[in-house]
Amino acid sequence: MAEKRQLSETEKQKVLDQHERRCFVDGEPIPEDESIEFHHIKPFSSGGPTNLDNIAPVCKRHHRTIGTMSLQEYRDKIELEAFFEGGEPKFLDDLIRHKKRCCGERVKCEIEEGHISLYYKDSRHDFPLYACPTTNWKYFYGTLPVEFIGNDRELQPRPLREPNLWKLYRHFQTNTQISPSICRIDESGTLLLFDGQHKAAAQIWAGHSMIECKVYIDPDRRLLKETNLDAHGAYRQMSFYSHELMQKYADIFGEDWIEYMDTKGEKSELGFYNFLFHAKRKTWAQARNEIALAMYNEIVDDESNKLSRYLSEKQRGRKQPLTFARLKKTLFQYMLVPPPVKDEFESDTDFRKDEKCNLVKLMTIIAEEGLEGKWAPVRADAGHKKAERIFSAGAVRAWTILLRDAINIHLKNYTDEERKLFFYRAIPDEEFDYFRRFVKKIFDHKIWDDPDPSGEIAARLAKDDAATAKSLFDEKELTVQWVLGI
Ligand SMILES: [Zn+2]
């Protein structure tokens, strides 16, 4: 390893010239009167040499916060924080797309006696095939291009966790990867990674374009799923609680959840919240946000939830009317009881499951009445433009509140406490016929058709606060009384 040494003034000047006196972290120019620090781009500790190509200038502000990181690490850290900003769940697919523009590309493959040939980067790559002596599943080992890898949502439903990812990223700056990530490849040539996703993600974040994999060829998915669950045996303990939300918690919180489940006494959201604070040293806000995120994901991931199909995060490739962040500020904020509730999991007073089902049903109604057959960004006809107005930022906020108030009145929730619980109760199916009527009525209001050549109405609906749109609703007589027909 090269010796760490001081730079001479001439060398410093060379580095400055090369970087045009710009801070390496964000590319901003460093003022003439400001002192300059010099840092290694690749870490000195992992063999980055002290030659001038590996040195760059840094402004004072970034120098103060860079700590022991190298410049490349620091840039990657800032980019990682931006990637996770907003708290929306991020999956391996998102990360690959972020780094590579594309992800899950199909790879052409041919299997012959004893080996598999994959075609990528304009050439053929052969790998010897092995067979598992127990299941007879065929598999191979390969170091494969990142853009051909996709996330196996079926076997690996967990989103990436920023702290785990960062820890592994740092780890791989100085350590080798001992075992490969595990994938499967199906008949169509889709390569899906289901185990070791943080490991893979950390390598990709560090700029690697090839990932070490063990790949099963078209295995029995059901068996593989069971095997995978067994391998993470601890998750099995959760079978005590059958609720899917429990599974979601296990998926998202991993070890923290298992540890909490091993504590004595009855289990509840409130208990877990306290556990995260006391034993895990999370802030109250972190604990609350993490629990809320688990709830939100469960609702969005529900297959019967038709509104999820209109989320940018779930359906890429064309413009969508909603984002996860907008749902957080609208339906989730106004129609879910914020965590933590104190009811024991799956006891008679725990209505989280009902609450989820109720909201999924309502979201489906919203999709059916407001978007299905209407949302068509390519056609961009009158129906689509109307849908766009209905789903503009402030409008969604205002009609969510309107719809909630109408439903509360309809359900005769008179006290504040009753209103606050909202969907946190069992609601018979036939009530949803009324809710559908309310949704229809709101979406049929003339406010959405108004051609308004000045664009003033559209602008007021788009402003991302409830009050602006609400004042417009009032002017145009789109009120709770009108929705309820009273
Ligand atoms: Zn800087």
Side-chain angles (χ1 to χ4, degrees), residues 222-292:
R222 190 184 53 81
L223 260 177
L224 192 58
K225 203 168 180 171
E226 279 173 19
T227 310
N228 200 35
L229 276 173
D230 274 344
H232 299 98
Y235 292 112
R236 279 268 156 128
Q237 296 172 7
M238 256 62 63
S239 56
F240 177 63
Y241 291 112
S242 60
H243 192 334
E244 311 94 299
L245 184 57
M246 303 294 118
Q247 188 54 50
K248 205 78 181 180
Y249 280 149
D251 290 339
I252 292 179
F253 294 108
E255 296 296 321
D256 288 353
W257 178 255
I258 292 160
E259 252 185 78
Y260 172 60
M261 278 292 142
D262 281 338
T263 61
K264 292 238 170 348
E266 74 169 49
K267 302 289 181 294
S268 66
E269 244 172 46
L270 182 62
F272 186 43
Y273 177 75
N274 285 326
F275 172 83
L276 288 175
F277 178 80
H278 292 293
K280 291 290 146 190
R281 304 187 170 266
K282 306 248 164 145
T283 65
W284 292 118
Q286 277 169 339
R288 191 168 41 243
N289 288 340
E290 290 191 24
I291 295 172

Coordinates of all heavy atoms in Angstrom, one line a residue, residues 222-292:
R222 N -43.1 -22.7 -5.3 CA -43.7 -22.9 -4.0 C -42.7 -23.5 -3.0 O -42.6 -23.0 -1.9 CB -44.9 -23.9 -4.2 CG -45.8 -24.0 -3.0 CD -46.9 -25.0 -3.2 NE -46.4 -26.3 -3.6 CZ -45.9 -27.2 -2.8 NH1 -45.8 -27.0 -1.5 NH2 -45.4 -28.3 -3.3
L223 N -42.0 -24.5 -3.5 CA -41.0 -25.2 -2.6 C -39.9 -24.2 -2.2 O -39.4 -24.1 -1.1 CB -40.4 -26.3 -3.4 CG -40.9 -27.7 -3.0 CD1 -40.3 -28.8 -3.9 CD2 -40.6 -28.0 -1.5
L224 N -39.5 -23.4 -3.2 CA -38.4 -22.4 -3.0 C -38.8 -21.4 -2.0 O -38.0 -21.0 -1.1 CB -38.0 -21.8 -4.3 CG -36.8 -20.9 -4.3 CD1 -35.6 -21.8 -3.9 CD2 -36.5 -20.3 -5.7
K225 N -40.1 -21.0 -2.1 CA -40.6 -20.0 -1.1 C -40.6 -20.6 0.3 O -40.1 -19.9 1.2 CB -42.1 -19.7 -1.5 CG -42.6 -18.4 -1.0 CD -43.9 -18.0 -1.7 CE -44.4 -16.7 -1.2 NZ -45.6 -16.3 -2.0
E226 N -41.0 -21.8 0.4 CA -41.0 -22.5 1.8 C -39.5 -22.6 2.3 O -39.3 -22.3 3.4 CB -41.6 -23.8 1.7 CG -43.1 -23.7 1.8 CD -43.9 -25.1 1.5 OE1 -43.2 -26.1 1.7 OE2 -45.0 -25.0 1.2
T227 N -38.7 -23.0 1.4 CA -37.3 -23.2 1.8 C -36.7 -21.9 2.2 O -36.0 -21.8 3.3 CB -36.4 -23.7 0.5 OG1 -37.1 -24.8 0.0 CG2 -35.0 -24.0 1.0
N228 N -37.0 -20.8 1.5 CA -36.5 -19.5 1.8 C -37.0 -19.0 3.2 O -36.3 -18.4 4.0 CB -36.9 -18.5 0.7 CG -36.0 -17.3 0.7 OD1 -34.9 -17.4 1.0 ND2 -36.6 -16.1 0.4
L229 N -38.3 -19.3 3.4 CA -38.9 -18.9 4.7 C -38.2 -19.7 5.9 O -37.9 -19.2 6.9 CB -40.4 -19.2 4.7 CG -41.3 -18.1 4.1 CD1 -42.7 -18.6 4.1 CD2 -41.2 -16.9 4.9
D230 N -38.0 -21.0 5.6 CA -37.3 -21.8 6.6 C -35.9 -21.3 6.9 O -35.5 -21.3 8.1 CB -37.2 -23.3 6.1 CG -38.5 -24.0 6.5 OD1 -39.2 -23.5 7.3 OD2 -38.7 -25.1 5.9
A231 N -35.3 -20.9 5.9 CA -33.9 -20.4 6.0 C -33.9 -19.2 6.9 O -32.9 -18.9 7.7 CB -33.3 -20.0 4.7
H232 N -34.9 -18.4 6.8 CA -35.1 -17.3 7.8 C -36.0 -17.7 8.9 O -36.9 -17.0 9.2 CB -35.6 -16.0 7.1 CG -34.7 -15.6 5.9 ND1 -34.9 -15.9 4.6 CD2 -33.6 -14.9 6.0 CE1 -34.0 -15.4 3.9 NE2 -33.1 -14.8 4.7
G233 N -35.7 -18.8 9.5 CA -36.5 -19.5 10.4 C -37.2 -18.7 11.5 O -38.4 -18.9 11.8
A234 N -36.5 -17.7 11.9 CA -37.0 -16.9 13.0 C -38.3 -16.2 12.6 O -39.2 -16.0 13.5 CB -36.0 -15.8 13.4
Y235 N -38.5 -15.9 11.4 CA -39.7 -15.2 10.9 C -40.9 -16.1 11.2 O -42.0 -15.7 11.3 CB -39.7 -14.9 9.5 CG -38.7 -13.8 9.2 CD1 -37.5 -14.0 8.5 CD2 -38.9 -12.5 9.7 CE1 -36.6 -13.0 8.2 CE2 -38.0 -11.5 9.4 CZ -36.8 -11.8 8.7 OH -35.9 -10.8 8.5
R236 N -40.7 -17.4 11.3 CA -41.7 -18.4 11.5 C -42.4 -18.2 12.8 O -43.6 -18.5 13.0 CB -41.2 -19.8 11.4 CG -41.0 -20.2 10.0 CD -42.3 -20.9 9.6 NE -42.5 -20.9 8.2 CZ -42.7 -22.0 7.4 NH1 -42.7 -23.1 8.0 NH2 -42.9 -21.9 6.2
Q237 N -41.7 -17.6 13.8 CA -42.3 -17.5 15.1 C -43.5 -16.6 15.1 O -44.4 -16.7 16.0 CB -41.3 -16.8 16.0 CG -40.0 -17.6 16.3 CD -39.0 -16.8 17.0 OE1 -39.3 -15.6 17.5 NE2 -37.8 -17.3 17.2
M238 N -43.6 -15.8 14.1 CA -44.8 -14.9 14.0 C -46.1 -15.6 13.7 O -47.1 -15.0 13.7 CB -44.5 -13.9 12.9 CG -44.2 -12.5 13.5 SD -42.7 -12.7 14.4 CE -41.6 -13.1 13.1
S239 N -46.0 -16.9 13.4 CA -47.3 -17.6 13.1 C -48.2 -17.6 14.2 O -49.4 -17.8 14.1 CB -47.0 -19.1 12.7 OG -46.3 -19.7 13.7
F240 N -47.8 -17.2 15.4 CA -48.6 -17.0 16.6 C -49.7 -16.0 16.2 O -50.9 -16.1 16.5 CB -47.8 -16.5 17.8 CG -48.7 -16.2 19.0 CD1 -49.4 -17.2 19.6 CD2 -48.7 -14.9 19.5 CE1 -50.2 -16.9 20.7 CE2 -49.5 -14.6 20.6 CZ -50.2 -15.6 21.2
Y241 N -49.3 -15.0 15.5 CA -50.3 -14.0 14.9 C -50.4 -14.3 13.4 O -49.5 -14.3 12.7 CB -49.8 -12.6 15.2 CG -49.8 -12.2 16.6 CD1 -48.6 -12.0 17.3 CD2 -51.0 -12.1 17.3 CE1 -48.6 -11.6 18.6 CE2 -51.0 -11.7 18.6 CZ -49.8 -11.5 19.3 OH -49.8 -11.1 20.6
S242 N -51.7 -14.5 13.0 CA -51.8 -14.9 11.6 C -52.0 -13.7 10.7 O -51.9 -13.8 9.5 CB -53.1 -15.8 11.5 OG -54.2 -15.1 12.0
H243 N -52.4 -12.6 11.2 CA -52.7 -11.3 10.5 C -51.5 -11.0 9.5 O -50.3 -11.1 9.9 CB -52.8 -10.2 11.5 CG -53.3 -8.9 11.0 ND1 -53.2 -8.5 9.7 CD2 -53.9 -7.9 11.7 CE1 -53.7 -7.4 9.6 NE2 -54.2 -7.0 10.8
E244 N -51.8 -10.7 8.3 CA -50.8 -10.4 7.3 C -49.9 -9.2 7.7 O -48.8 -9.1 7.3 CB -51.3 -10.1 5.9 CG -52.3 -11.0 5.3 CD -53.7 -10.6 5.6 OE1 -54.1 -10.4 6.8 OE2 -54.5 -10.3 4.7
L245 N -50.6 -8.3 8.5 CA -49.8 -7.1 8.9 C -48.6 -7.5 9.8 O -47.6 -6.9 9.7 CB -50.7 -6.1 9.7 CG -50.1 -4.8 10.1 CD1 -49.5 -4.0 8.9 CD2 -51.1 -3.9 10.8
M246 N -48.8 -8.6 10.5 CA -47.7 -9.1 11.4 C -46.6 -9.6 10.5 O -45.4 -9.3 10.8 CB -48.2 -10.3 12.2 CG -49.4 -10.1 13.1 SD -49.0 -8.9 14.4 CE -50.2 -7.6 14.0
Q247 N -46.9 -10.2 9.4 CA -45.9 -10.7 8.4 C -45.2 -9.5 7.8 O -44.0 -9.5 7.7 CB -46.6 -11.5 7.3 CG -45.6 -12.2 6.4 CD -44.5 -13.1 7.2 OE1 -44.9 -13.9 8.1 NE2 -43.3 -12.8 7.0
K248 N -46.0 -8.5 7.5 CA -45.4 -7.2 7.0 C -44.4 -6.6 8.0 O -43.3 -6.2 7.6 CB -46.5 -6.2 6.7 CG -46.2 -5.2 5.7 CD -46.4 -5.9 4.3 CE -46.0 -5.0 3.2 NZ -46.2 -5.7 1.9
Y249 N -44.8 -6.6 9.2 CA -43.9 -6.1 10.3 C -42.6 -6.9 10.3 O -41.5 -6.4 10.3 CB -44.6 -6.2 11.6 CG -45.5 -5.1 12.0 CD1 -46.6 -5.4 12.8 CD2 -45.4 -3.8 11.5 CE1 -47.5 -4.4 13.1 CE2 -46.3 -2.8 11.8 CZ -47.4 -3.1 12.6 OH -48.2 -2.1 12.9
A250 N -42.8 -8.2 10.2 CA -41.6 -9.1 10.2 C -40.7 -8.8 9.1 O -39.5 -8.7 9.2 CB -42.1 -10.6 10.2
D251 N -41.4 -8.6 7.9 CA -40.6 -8.3 6.7 C -39.8 -7.0 6.8 O -38.7 -6.9 6.4 CB -41.5 -8.2 5.5 CG -42.1 -9.6 5.1 OD1 -41.5 -10.6 5.5 OD2 -43.1 -9.6 4.4
I252 N -40.5 -6.0 7.3 CA -39.9 -4.7 7.3 C -38.9 -4.5 8.5 O -37.9 -4.0 8.3 CB -41.0 -3.6 7.4 CG1 -41.7 -3.7 6.0 CG2 -40.4 -2.2 7.6 CD1 -42.8 -2.7 5.9
F253 N -39.3 -5.0 9.7 CA -38.5 -4.7 10.8 C -37.5 -5.8 11.1 O -36.6 -5.6 11.9 CB -39.4 -4.5 12.1 CG -40.2 -3.3 12.0 CD1 -41.6 -3.4 11.8 CD2 -39.6 -2.0 12.1 CE1 -42.4 -2.2 11.7 CE2 -40.4 -0.9 12.0 CZ -41.8 -1.0 11.8
G254 N -37.6 -7.0 10.5 CA -36.6 -8.0 10.7 C -36.3 -8.4 12.1 O -37.2 -8.6 12.9
E255 N -35.1 -8.3 12.5 CA -34.6 -8.6 13.8 C -35.3 -7.9 14.9 O -35.6 -8.4 16.0 CB -33.1 -8.4 13.9 CG -32.2 -9.2 13.0 CD -32.3 -10.7 13.3 OE1 -32.4 -11.0 14.5 OE2 -32.3 -11.5 12.4
D256 N -35.6 -6.6 14.7 CA -36.2 -5.8 15.8 C -37.6 -6.4 16.1 O -37.9 -6.5 17.3 CB -36.5 -4.4 15.3 CG -35.2 -3.6 15.2 OD1 -34.2 -4.1 15.6 OD2 -35.2 -2.4 14.7
W257 N -38.3 -6.9 15.1 CA -39.6 -7.4 15.3 C -39.5 -8.7 16.1 O -40.3 -9.0 17.0 CB -40.3 -7.6 14.0 CG -41.7 -8.2 14.1 CD1 -42.0 -9.5 13.8 CD2 -42.9 -7.6 14.6 NE1 -43.3 -9.7 14.0 CE2 -43.9 -8.6 14.6 CE3 -43.2 -6.3 15.1 CZ2 -45.2 -8.3 15.0 CZ3 -44.5 -6.1 15.5 CH2 -45.5 -7.0 15.4
I258 N -38.6 -9.6 15.7 CA -38.4 -10.9 16.3 C -38.0 -10.7 17.8 O -38.6 -11.3 18.7 CB -37.3 -11.7 15.6 CG1 -37.8 -12.0 14.2 CG2 -36.9 -12.9 16.4 CD1 -36.7 -12.4 13.2
E259 N -37.1 -9.7 18.0 CA -36.7 -9.4 19.4 C -37.9 -9.0 20.2 O -38.1 -9.4 21.4 CB -35.7 -8.3 19.4 CG -34.3 -8.8 19.8 CD -33.4 -7.6 19.9 OE1 -33.4 -6.9 20.9 OE2 -32.7 -7.3 18.9
Y260 N -38.8 -8.1 19.6 CA -39.9 -7.7 20.4 C -40.9 -8.8 20.6 O -41.5 -9.0 21.7 CB -40.7 -6.6 19.6 CG -42.0 -6.2 20.2 CD1 -42.0 -5.7 21.5 CD2 -43.2 -6.4 19.5 CE1 -43.3 -5.4 22.1 CE2 -44.4 -6.1 20.1 CZ -44.4 -5.6 21.4 OH -45.6 -5.3 22.0
M261 N -41.1 -9.7 19.6 CA -42.0 -10.8 19.8 C -41.5 -11.8 20.9 O -42.3 -12.5 21.5 CB -42.1 -11.6 18.5 CG -43.1 -11.0 17.5 SD -44.8 -11.2 18.2 CE -45.5 -9.6 17.7
D262 N -40.2 -11.8 21.2 CA -39.6 -12.6 22.2 C -39.8 -12.0 23.6 O -39.4 -12.7 24.6 CB -38.1 -12.9 21.9 CG -38.0 -14.0 20.9 OD1 -38.9 -14.8 20.7 OD2 -36.9 -14.1 20.2
T263 N -40.2 -10.8 23.7 CA -40.4 -10.2 25.0 C -41.6 -10.8 25.7 O -42.5 -11.3 25.0 CB -40.5 -8.7 25.0 OG1 -41.6 -8.3 24.2 CG2 -39.2 -8.0 24.4
K264 N -41.7 -10.6 27.0 CA -42.9 -11.1 27.7 C -44.1 -10.2 27.6 O -44.0 -9.0 27.3 CB -42.5 -11.2 29.2 CG -41.5 -12.3 29.5 CD -42.0 -13.3 30.5 CE -41.2 -14.5 30.7 NZ -40.1 -14.8 29.8
G265 N -45.3 -10.8 27.8 CA -46.5 -10.0 27.9 C -47.2 -9.8 26.6 O -46.8 -10.3 25.6
E266 N -48.3 -9.1 26.7 CA -49.2 -9.0 25.5 C -48.5 -8.0 24.5 O -47.7 -7.2 24.8 CB -50.6 -8.5 25.8 CG -50.7 -7.1 26.2 CD -52.2 -6.7 26.3 OE1 -53.0 -7.4 26.9 OE2 -52.5 -5.6 25.7
K267 N -48.8 -8.3 23.2 CA -48.2 -7.5 22.1 C -49.2 -6.6 21.5 O -50.3 -6.9 21.2 CB -47.7 -8.5 21.1 CG -46.7 -9.6 21.6 CD -45.4 -8.9 22.0 CE -44.4 -9.9 22.5 NZ -44.7 -10.5 23.8
S268 N -48.7 -5.4 21.2 CA -49.5 -4.4 20.6 C -48.6 -3.4 19.8 O -47.4 -3.4 20.0 CB -50.4 -3.7 21.6 OG -49.5 -2.9 22.5
E269 N -49.3 -2.6 19.0 CA -48.6 -1.5 18.4 C -47.9 -0.6 19.4 O -46.7 -0.3 19.2 CB -49.6 -0.7 17.6 CG -49.4 -0.7 16.1 CD -50.5 0.1 15.4 OE1 -50.9 1.2 15.9 OE2 -51.1 -0.5 14.5
L270 N -48.6 -0.3 20.4 CA -48.1 0.6 21.4 C -46.8 0.0 22.1 O -45.8 0.6 22.3 CB -49.1 0.9 22.5 CG -48.7 1.9 23.6 CD1 -48.3 3.3 23.0 CD2 -49.8 2.0 24.7
G271 N -46.9 -1.3 22.4 CA -45.8 -2.1 23.0 C -44.6 -2.0 22.1 O -43.5 -1.8 22.5
F272 N -44.8 -2.2 20.8 CA -43.7 -2.3 19.8 C -43.1 -0.9 19.7 O -41.9 -0.7 19.6 CB -44.3 -2.7 18.5 CG -43.2 -2.9 17.4 CD1 -42.0 -3.6 17.7 CD2 -43.4 -2.5 16.1 CE1 -41.0 -3.8 16.8 CE2 -42.4 -2.7 15.2 CZ -41.2 -3.3 15.5
Y273 N -44.0 0.1 19.7 CA -43.5 1.5 19.7 C -42.6 1.8 20.9 O -41.5 2.4 20.7 CB -44.8 2.3 19.7 CG -44.7 3.8 19.7 CD1 -44.4 4.6 18.6 CD2 -45.0 4.5 20.9 CE1 -44.4 5.9 18.6 CE2 -45.0 5.9 20.9 CZ -44.7 6.6 19.8 OH -44.7 8.0 19.8
N274 N -43.0 1.4 22.0 CA -42.2 1.6 23.2 C -40.9 0.8 23.1 O -39.8 1.4 23.5 CB -43.0 1.2 24.5 CG -44.0 2.2 24.9 OD1 -43.9 3.4 24.7 ND2 -45.2 1.7 25.3
F275 N -41.0 -0.4 22.6 CA -39.8 -1.2 22.4 C -38.8 -0.5 21.5 O -37.6 -0.5 21.8 CB -40.2 -2.6 21.9 CG -39.1 -3.4 21.5 CD1 -38.4 -4.2 22.4 CD2 -38.7 -3.5 20.2 CE1 -37.4 -5.0 22.1 CE2 -37.6 -4.3 19.8 CZ -37.0 -5.1 20.7
L276 N -39.3 0.0 20.4 CA -38.4 0.7 19.4 C -37.7 1.9 20.1 O -36.5 2.2 19.9 CB -39.1 1.2 18.2 CG -39.6 0.1 17.2 CD1 -40.4 0.7 16.1 CD2 -38.4 -0.7 16.6
F277 N -38.4 2.6 21.0 CA -37.8 3.7 21.6 C -36.8 3.3 22.7 O -35.7 3.7 22.7 CB -39.0 4.6 22.3 CG -38.5 5.8 23.0 CD1 -38.1 6.9 22.3 CD2 -38.3 5.7 24.4 CE1 -37.6 8.0 23.1 CE2 -37.8 6.8 25.1 CZ -37.5 8.0 24.4
H278 N -37.3 2.4 23.6 CA -36.4 2.1 24.7 C -35.3 1.1 24.4 O -34.1 1.4 24.8 CB -37.3 1.5 25.9 CG -38.2 2.5 26.5 ND1 -37.8 3.5 27.2 CD2 -39.6 2.5 26.5 CE1 -38.8 4.2 27.6 NE2 -39.9 3.7 27.2
A279 N -35.6 0.0 23.7 CA -34.6 -1.0 23.4 C -33.8 -0.6 22.2 O -32.6 -1.0 22.1 CB -35.2 -2.3 23.3
K280 N -34.4 0.1 21.2 CA -33.7 0.3 20.0 C -33.2 1.7 19.8 O -32.7 2.1 18.7 CB -34.6 -0.1 18.8 CG -34.9 -1.6 18.7 CD -33.6 -2.4 18.3 CE -33.5 -3.7 18.9 NZ -32.3 -4.3 18.7
R281 N -33.5 2.5 20.8 CA -33.1 3.9 20.8 C -33.5 4.7 19.5 O -32.8 5.6 19.1 CB -31.5 4.0 20.9 CG -31.1 3.3 22.2 CD -29.7 3.4 22.5 NE -29.5 2.8 23.9 CZ -29.5 3.6 25.0 NH1 -29.7 4.8 24.9 NH2 -29.4 3.0 26.1
K282 N -34.7 4.4 19.1 CA -35.3 5.2 18.0 C -36.0 6.4 18.7 O -36.3 6.3 19.8 CB -36.4 4.4 17.2 CG -35.9 3.1 16.7 CD -35.8 3.1 15.2 CE -35.0 1.9 14.8 NZ -35.3 1.2 13.6
T283 N -36.1 7.5 17.9 CA -36.9 8.6 18.5 C -38.4 8.1 18.4 O -38.7 7.2 17.6 CB -36.7 9.9 17.7 OG1 -37.2 9.7 16.4 CG2 -35.2 10.2 17.6
W284 N -39.2 8.8 19.1 CA -40.7 8.5 19.0 C -41.1 8.7 17.6 O -41.9 7.9 17.1 CB -41.5 9.4 19.9 CG -41.3 9.2 21.4 CD1 -40.8 10.0 22.3 CD2 -41.5 7.9 22.1 NE1 -40.7 9.4 23.6 CE2 -41.2 8.2 23.5 CE3 -42.0 6.7 21.7 CZ2 -41.3 7.2 24.4 CZ3 -42.2 5.7 22.7 CH2 -41.8 5.9 24.0
A285 N -40.6 9.8 17.0 CA -41.1 10.1 15.6 C -40.7 8.9 14.6 O -41.5 8.5 13.8 CB -40.5 11.4 15.1
Q286 N -39.4 8.5 14.8 CA -38.9 7.4 13.9 C -39.8 6.1 14.1 O -40.2 5.5 13.2 CB -37.5 7.0 14.3 CG -36.5 7.9 13.6 CD -35.1 7.6 14.2 OE1 -34.9 7.1 15.3 NE2 -34.1 8.0 13.4
A287 N -40.1 5.8 15.4 CA -40.8 4.6 15.7 C -42.2 4.7 15.1 O -42.7 3.8 14.4 CB -40.9 4.4 17.2
R288 N -42.8 5.9 15.2 CA -44.2 6.1 14.7 C -44.2 6.0 13.2 O -45.0 5.3 12.6 CB -44.7 7.4 15.1 CG -46.2 7.6 14.8 CD -46.8 8.8 15.6 NE -45.9 9.9 15.5 CZ -45.4 10.5 16.6 NH1 -45.7 10.0 17.8 NH2 -44.6 11.5 16.5
N289 N -43.2 6.6 12.5 CA -43.1 6.6 11.1 C -42.9 5.2 10.5 O -43.5 4.8 9.5 CB -42.0 7.5 10.6 CG -42.3 9.0 10.8 OD1 -43.5 9.3 10.9 ND2 -41.3 9.8 10.8
E290 N -42.1 4.5 11.2 CA -41.8 3.1 10.7 C -43.0 2.2 10.8 O -43.3 1.4 9.9 CB -40.6 2.5 11.5 CG -39.3 3.2 11.2 CD -38.1 2.4 11.7 OE1 -38.1 1.2 11.9 OE2 -37.0 3.1 11.8
I291 N -43.8 2.4 11.9 CA -45.0 1.5 12.0 C -46.0 2.0 11.0 O -46.6 1.2 10.3 CB -45.6 1.6 13.5 CG1 -44.6 1.0 14.5 CG2 -46.9 1.0 13.5 CD1 -44.9 1.2 15.9
A292 N -46.1 3.3 10.8 CA -47.1 3.8 9.8 C -46.7 3.3 8.4 O -47.6 2.9 7.7 CB -47.1 5.3 9.8

